[in-house]
């Protein structure tokens, strides 16, 4: 049976649509698989002990150089006398 005219065009367009849909579904599967794999390995890396120790070493290296300067500027050499409590009131009851 030979198909001609509009029926042929309709069959060709459906076949072409099916091919395009198949290619897009394969690309979608590859994209989703890659995203899931990358997120799994990223999570495993971020929660690993190696990452934690590496991060702590970097933070402590940056902070240790700043600590003596902050402590020297922030702490006074000597403190003043204590503040007296006024007499006549019972400060234990609020």
């Amino acid at each position: 049976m030979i198909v001609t005219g509009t029926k042929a065009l309709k069959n060709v367009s459906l076949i072409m649509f099916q091919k395009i849909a198949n290619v897009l579904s394969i690309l979608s599967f590859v994209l989703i698989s890659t995203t899931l794999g990358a997120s799994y390995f990223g999570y495993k890396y971020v929660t690993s002990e190696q990452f934690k120790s590496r991060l702590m070493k970097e933070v402590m290296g940056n902070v240790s150089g700043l600590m003596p300067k902050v402590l020297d500027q922030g702490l006074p050499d000597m403190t003043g006398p204590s503040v007296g409590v006024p007499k006549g009131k019972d400060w234990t009851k609020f």
Side-chain angles (χ1 to χ4, degrees), residues 3-18:
V3 180
T4 58
T6 57
K7 285 186 176 182
L9 183 61
K10 183 179 175 183
N11 287 339
V12 168
S13 64
L14 287 176
I15 292 171
M16 198 62 167
F17 174 75
Q18 186 177 8

Side-chain angles (χ1 to χ4, degrees), residues 21 33 37 40 53 57 75 78 88-90:
S33 300
Y40 174 75
S53 65
K57 283 180 185 176
L75 295 176
M78 175 174 122
K89 274 192 159 182
D90 187 9

Side-chain angles (χ1 to χ4, degrees), residues 36-66:
L36 287 175
S39 62
Y40 174 75
F41 287 113
Y43 174 76
K44 290 303 250 182
Y45 175 70
V46 169
T47 57
S48 69
E49 289 297 321
Q50 292 173 343
F51 180 75
K52 289 178 186 176
S53 65
R54 182 187 220 179
L55 191 63
M56 286 302 290
K57 283 180 185 176
E58 187 173 332
V59 167
M60 292 306 286
N62 291 335
V63 170
S64 66
L66 298 174

